[in-house]
Amino acid sequence: YTQVLPKLSVKTPSFLVAFDLGTECPNGMVLEKLDGEEASGGTRTERRRILETLARLHLEGIVLERSGQLADANLPRFDAEAARYQKWRSILVDGIADGSYSLLPWIPSCLDAVLAALPGFPYGLIHSDLDLSNIIVAGNGTIGLIDWEKACIGPISVDLGQFMEHVASGDELQGYCRQLVVSQGLRVSEDDVSYWADVGRAFKLIHEICSYVHASLKGRAPAPSWRGKYFEPCLPALEAIAKRNRWCD
């Protein structure tokens, strides 16, 4: 935090103190309080502001990464070859064989397509946990992002995909795309950004599917209501993205 944020021009909360609670919280930090309300994602205006804020953060991260200024930041770096993703593939194969999760046989190859695509997207500083509970809207409309413990240097499509759950239509990405083109002159189109968002969204959906299947296979399945609310909607959402990008028949 103290190495990366001073490099950014965006306003960031002041760092107050660090603490260590052992295994429960080995690297805790106390930051200046950010006043505001948790984002609802319920209005087009709010979503537009969040996406434009995200674009500004991504732009700065891309510039810092390309100029080598994040080299000394001691941040983890996204690695599509990491062993954890091979474990995801194994979980999916086991889930398909089990037969009780309605998993279709093309999902492992969909994971392969996503992991192959991610390294080709612009890398920068990404939040990696863009749940609405981690987005604060101040009274003046300023957007704040909190809880950065999963931050890393990685493909910006990961953040985009996580937020796409709350986006009503693809045209809401126009403001995000415009920030990239106007601010840094990046040669990207709305179709490019839509594809980045699709890949990032598929990545998140597969993660959620794997988390549920793994817990269930280990005898730690959440309540049936959780399955109906969180797990089952992932399957048609992933299928729609996979068909749109020809990752499945």
Side-chain angles (χ1 to χ4, degrees):
Y1 187 93
T2 56
Q3 290 176 318
V4 174
L5 292 189
K7 303 176 187 291
L8 302 176
S9 65
V10 294
K11 183 176 176 5
T12 59
S14 299
F15 172 77
L16 302 179
V17 66
F19 59 91
D20 185 346
L21 296 180
T23 55
E24 182 178 345
C25 187
N27 298 297
M29 296 187 299
V30 177
L31 307 177
E32 173 189 3
K33 182 180 179 182
L34 182 63
D35 291 323
E37 300 293 330
E38 182 179 305
S40 69
T43 68
R44 185 183 180 91
T45 298
E46 183 183 273
R47 295 191 299 269
R48 176 181 57 79
R49 287 175 176 168
I50 292 171
L51 284 166
E52 290 178 352
T53 298
L54 193 59
R56 289 195 293 272
L57 171 70
H58 286 164
L59 277 169
E60 293 217 30
I62 290 170
V63 172
L64 292 172
E65 166 66 7
R66 291 181 175 178
S67 64
Q69 295 183 64
L70 292 180
D72 62 347
N74 197 30
L75 279 173
R77 188 176 185 88
F78 178 86
D79 178 9
E81 302 295 328
R84 64 179 297 200
Y85 302 124
Q86 296 307 313
K87 184 177 180 180
W88 285 14
R89 200 178 199 289
S90 177
I91 291 169
L92 292 172
V93 170
D94 290 345
I96 292 169
D98 181 277
S100 62
Y101 302 102
S102 302
L103 300 185
L104 296 173
W106 51 262
I107 296 182
S109 60
C110 180
L111 171 62
D112 294 341
V114 167
L115 292 176
L118 284 171
F121 300 149
Y123 269 50
L125 175 66
I126 60 174
H127 184 280
S128 297
D129 192 17
L130 275 182
D131 186 83
L132 289 177
S133 62
N134 289 333
I135 303 174
I136 301 296
V137 183
N140 63 0
T142 298
I143 303 297
L145 307 180
I146 63 174
D147 291 350
W148 284 80
E149 68 269 20
K150 295 183 180 178
C152 68
I153 299 169
I156 59 177
S157 54
V158 170
D159 280 348
L160 262 181
Q162 289 176 341
F163 189 69
M164 285 303 291
E165 174 184 354
H166 313 291
V167 173
S169 62
D171 65 338
E172 293 188 28
L173 290 170
Q174 291 175 352
Y176 179 94
C177 183
R178 189 162 50 249
Q179 287 278 345
L180 298 184
V181 175
V182 173
S183 299
Q184 289 295 328
L186 297 181
R187 294 181 178 178
V188 296
S189 66
E190 290 179 19
D191 287 343
D192 292 330
V193 173
S194 294
Y195 178 59
W196 297 352
D198 268 357
V199 173
R201 178 76 175 128
F203 181 75
K204 181 176 189 291
L205 290 167
I206 293 172
H207 183 198
E208 292 176 348
I209 290 169
C210 287
S211 296
Y212 178 83
V213 172
H214 180 65
S216 299
L217 291 173
K218 294 293 184 181
R220 301 191 300 268
S225 59
W226 194 98
R227 173 171 175 147
K229 184 176 182 180
Y230 297 105
F231 170 72
E232 291 178 357
C234 291
L235 302 176
L238 179 62
E239 185 171 10
I241 294 172
K243 286 183 175 179
R244 184 160 60 241
N245 293 281
R246 299 181 181 178
W247 297 334
C248 70
D249 296 330

